Amino acid sequence: MEAVVGLVVMLLAVSHGVETKCDVRQKDGAQCYGALGGTVVLQLMDRVPERFTIEKKTIKILIWKKNEISQNINEVKYSFTSSDGTFRINNLIRSDTDEYTLKIRNSNGALLEVRTLQLSIQAPVSSVRLVSECLSQGEMRMSCSSEGGDSPQYSWTLDGRTLTEDKLLSGNHETDSITLRQDVSGVLLCSVKNHVSHLQKYQSISTCGFIFINCTESDETRITQWVFAANNKLCVEQTTTPTAPDTTVDPSVICGVQTAVAALLFIGIAAYFAWRKKKSQRAEGSAMPQEREYPETSV
């Protein structure tokens, strides 16, 4: 049980132990921010003067004199490091939001310089949540919410690039809720930050299943709209495969054709041999000697 309690305390210390820094050297009226429950480190100077005071409104919270702190109203909360000229305010609470004044004096107490700064305490962002919702026309609404942060600022990117207007139907890349167009997909990232924290949450998104119809129906009606692909019945082309003609031939027809071809072939062969025979007979007749007849009155 003690180990569990110790772990919880450690986690709380880590989550509330945010340290921020603010450089106020040679600056008057600087704006600084600290995380609620954390520490702010104010860079006041490079060279430590002989005497100076730090005041919160009119209350002196720290006095430096003769190279040491001569007065500190709360040593746990306020500390000054002479080696680097930094002033730390620990365990920040809401009431630490105020104006602080640095007054530098010489050894005689004469005022040499006065500088002021405004410190604002903010709660850091503790978590980020993304919620997606498909709308009736295929648009996608994305909501980014955060917990624990004061004055959170939002920004969106898609695939590592700033989300542009051509991807959006409403909202912009600096709002907590946006509506994406029907064809947008990729890795969407929401960043939430304030002056003391910065958290991010990403989600891989795809389209809501809609397609864009741009065609003309059979009745000459022009269709241009987004429809859910699974239920689409607009401008659907006929995909029925035409029936191939029946090429089966009756066996009796094949048999008849074969018989006719055989008969023609037989007649052709017979005619050819008859022609050869007749030609041969003519040739033999022309080769025999002719008997000549003479009239009786011939000598």
Side-chain angles (χ1 to χ4, degrees), residues 241-247:
T241 305
T243 304
D246 187 6
T247 57

Side-chain angles (χ1 to χ4, degrees), residues 1-298:
M1 183 65 180
E2 293 180 357
V4 174
V5 173
L7 178 60
V8 172
V9 172
M10 182 181 70
L11 290 175
L12 290 174
V14 171
S15 63
H16 291 85
V18 178
E19 182 176 283
T20 57
K21 296 182 180 181
C22 187
D23 190 347
V24 296
R25 291 172 293 183
Q26 308 302 321
K27 295 180 182 179
D28 186 35
Q31 177 66 59
C32 300
Y33 294 91
L36 185 65
T39 298
V40 62
V41 181
L42 304 174
Q43 183 70 55
L44 298 179
M45 58 195 73
D46 293 321
R47 183 178 178 182
V48 180
E50 295 183 31
R51 297 176 60 178
F52 69 86
T53 61
I54 300 175
E55 302 176 3
K56 181 183 178 183
K57 290 186 177 179
T58 59
I59 301 174
K60 292 181 175 64
I61 57 177
L62 188 142
I63 299 175
W64 177 267
K65 188 177 180 181
K66 295 181 180 181
N67 295 322
E68 64 180 8
I69 296 175
S70 64
Q71 179 181 336
N72 187 347
I73 64 171
N74 190 335
E75 295 182 357
V76 175
K77 190 169 187 66
Y78 304 112
S79 63
F80 177 74
T81 305
S82 59
S83 60
D84 58 7
T86 58
F87 177 62
R88 303 170 68 91
I89 306 177
N90 304 306
N91 304 319
L92 292 169
I93 57 177
R94 296 287 186 182
S95 60
D96 289 325
T97 296
D98 214 325
E99 183 179 79
Y100 294 78
T101 304
L102 170 66
K103 294 181 178 180
I104 300 176
R105 303 177 184 272
N106 62 15
S107 58
N108 297 322
L111 187 62
L112 300 177
E113 184 181 357
V114 177
R115 274 185 275 146
T116 62
L117 65 91
Q118 182 67 42
L119 177 63
S120 297
I121 307 304
Q122 289 187 337
V125 177
S126 60
S127 65
V128 178
R129 182 169 177 259
L130 278 177
V131 177
S132 60
E133 177 187 5
C134 285
L135 304 182
S136 60
Q137 297 300 313
E139 315 95 322
M140 179 177 290
R141 178 182 294 149
M142 297 294 303
S143 299
C144 185
S145 59
S146 60
E147 294 182 1
D150 290 329
S151 303
Q153 298 176 345
Y154 299 88
S155 62
W156 299 84
T157 62
L158 180 66
D159 294 332
R161 296 181 292 273
T162 300
L163 197 59
T164 53
E165 292 184 357
D166 62 319
K167 305 293 185 183
L168 295 168
L169 283 174
S170 66
N172 59 63
H173 71 279
E174 294 181 345
T175 58
D176 60 345
S177 180
I178 58 175
T179 302
L180 300 170
R181 295 184 182 275
Q182 292 88 340
D183 58 346
V184 176
S185 62
V187 178
L188 191 67
L189 182 143
C190 175
S191 297
V192 185
K193 67 178 181 179
N194 57 15
H195 292 284
V196 298
S197 60
H198 185 191
L199 291 181
Q200 296 178 328
K201 184 81 171 183
Y202 72 90
Q203 181 175 322
S204 181
I205 62 171
S206 58
T207 61
C208 292
F210 279 64
I211 58 175
F212 186 70
I213 299 297
N214 185 3
C215 64
T216 302
E217 290 277 21
S218 58
D219 60 356
E220 301 302 322
T221 302
R222 188 67 181 173
I223 304 295
T224 55
Q225 66 184 65
W226 288 91
V227 297
F228 189 54
N231 298 334
N232 178 43
K233 296 181 180 180
L234 298 175
C235 298
V236 179
E237 297 181 0
Q238 294 295 332
T239 58
T240 304
T241 305
T243 304
D246 187 6
T247 57
T248 304
V249 181
D250 190 343
S252 61
V253 175
I254 297 176
C255 183
V257 172
Q258 291 177 340
T259 302
V261 170
L264 289 174
L265 182 60
F266 177 77
I267 293 172
I269 294 173
Y272 172 75
F273 281 104
W275 174 77
R276 288 290 303 271
K277 182 177 180 181
K278 187 175 182 180
K279 184 178 179 180
S280 176
Q281 290 175 348
R282 286 180 179 178
E284 291 178 356
S286 62
M288 295 178 62
Q290 297 294 324
E291 183 180 353
R292 298 181 65 183
E293 295 182 357
Y294 299 95
E296 293 181 355
T297 57
S298 62

